[in-house]
Amino acid sequence: MDRAEYGERVKIPTPRAGLVVGNLDGVLYTTVRDGQTEKYVHKFRRKSRPLLVAGSDGRSLHVVGDRFEFTDRGIVDQ
């Protein structure tokens, strides 16, 4: 499987069911932006924490929630 580049669109299968693992406290990720590799840490505010859900196939993880958004600044809690 190829790694997606920053801003590249990828097709994501939507699971019909899943198992709630728990609340997602934060996200650590690495991306290339403007030719520079950057590492980011986002800690969700308590009221903005989404659920971490395992797909029914046991091979995928999904972030489920709507109290945050992804902007040009990165993840922003609402």
Side-chain angles (χ1 to χ4, degrees):
M1 180 182 204
D2 293 329
R3 294 179 61 112
E5 295 295 322
Y6 181 80
E8 180 181 347
R9 291 188 181 269
V10 295
K11 189 171 186 174
I12 301 171
T14 304
R16 295 180 65 149
L19 173 68
V20 173
V21 177
N23 290 101
L24 191 59
D25 296 318
V27 179
L28 305 168
Y29 62 100
T30 303
T31 190
V32 176
R33 189 170 183 180
D34 299 327
Q36 298 290 323
T37 299
E38 298 182 20
K39 294 182 180 286
Y40 292 94
V41 176
H42 180 81
K43 294 180 182 177
F44 290 101
R45 290 191 318 208
R46 186 167 182 81
K47 69 176 191 170
S48 298
R49 292 185 309 174
L51 295 175
L52 179 62
V53 177
S56 59
D57 62 0
R59 300 176 55 95
S60 59
L61 294 172
H62 305 270
V63 176
V64 179
D66 62 358
R67 294 187 184 123
F68 64 92
E69 62 182 325
F70 188 79
T71 70
D72 58 350
R73 296 184 351 228
I75 300 168
V76 178
D77 294 337
Q78 295 180 343

